[in-house]
Amino acid sequence: MVLGYRNRGSRANHVNRYRLRAGLRSFHPDAGERMLVLCGGGVAGPVSEAEVLSEYAHRRGFTGTILLDTQSRTTWENIQNAVPLIERAESVKIVSNSLHAEKGRAYLWRLRPDLAERLRRGADHRFGEIVLLKPVAALVGLRDLARLPPQ
């Protein structure tokens, strides 16, 4: 599951390209069926983040199954709307920048602990990648995680 990021136009911005690449490299080499669940509505532009991510996945040569959540406007809605799309999955990987993905995993634990038991780490961290964005994303992510109410 790749969580989208605000995209103003109809082509994937830098953050969405990074997140989709991280999603693609998160597949286990021996995985049978490869399925991408792409999340995000049209928060900042006329085309949903999910559709922008899908177009980029096709340009990157992805040939597996793609399921879209084009309605969500928040991370909570991303996870909530993706639940019906991942119910049959053997394993689930939530991909974004590292702390945003952690927030998504925390939300899945709250919504559906039975599905959260299938969570596996995605490959969202790669040394030297998005170097300038990581410190800012880390600060925002830590703030957001600290604001999560206790279970």
Side-chain angles (χ1 to χ4, degrees):
M1 176 188 324
V2 178
L3 305 178
Y5 179 77
R6 296 178 185 274
N7 209 94
R8 288 196 165 94
S10 59
R11 292 179 61 94
N13 61 28
H14 180 72
V15 175
N16 280 324
R17 289 192 310 268
Y18 155 73
R19 289 180 179 184
L20 193 279
R21 286 191 313 270
L24 293 176
R25 69 175 176 246
S26 293
F27 287 112
H28 190 278
D30 299 327
E33 180 183 0
R34 294 173 182 232
M35 179 175 63
L36 281 174
V37 175
L38 306 174
C39 300
V43 176
V47 181
S48 75
E49 296 158 11
E51 292 170 306
V52 167
L53 287 164
S54 177
E55 188 273 331
Y56 186 62
H58 288 297
R59 283 195 342 196
R60 300 280 305 185
F62 182 73
T63 58
T65 302
I66 296 178
L67 301 176
L68 304 179
D69 154 36
T70 61
Q71 301 303 308
S72 60
R73 301 184 63 78
T74 66
T75 305
W76 179 264
E77 289 176 4
N78 287 162
I79 303 304
Q80 191 173 40
N81 294 346
V83 162
L85 306 176
I86 63 172
E87 285 198 286
R88 293 188 184 355
E90 290 180 27
S91 66
V92 176
K93 296 178 183 179
I94 298 176
V95 179
S96 181
N97 61 294
S98 296
L99 287 168
H100 187 229
E102 185 64 32
K103 181 178 176 183
R105 289 187 286 273
Y107 286 170
L108 186 59
W109 276 107
R110 289 165 189 235
L111 283 168
R112 290 288 301 274
D114 59 315
L115 287 176
E117 288 178 0
R118 302 181 209 163
L119 280 169
R120 305 293 177 266
R121 281 271 177 207
D124 21 48
H125 175 70
R126 182 180 275 177
F127 184 75
E129 190 173 50
I130 63 165
V131 176
L132 299 176
L133 181 61
K134 279 186 181 176
V136 174
L139 290 174
V140 171
L142 287 171
R143 181 202 67 204
D144 288 351
L145 286 173
R147 290 181 177 173
L148 289 178
Q151 280 187 297

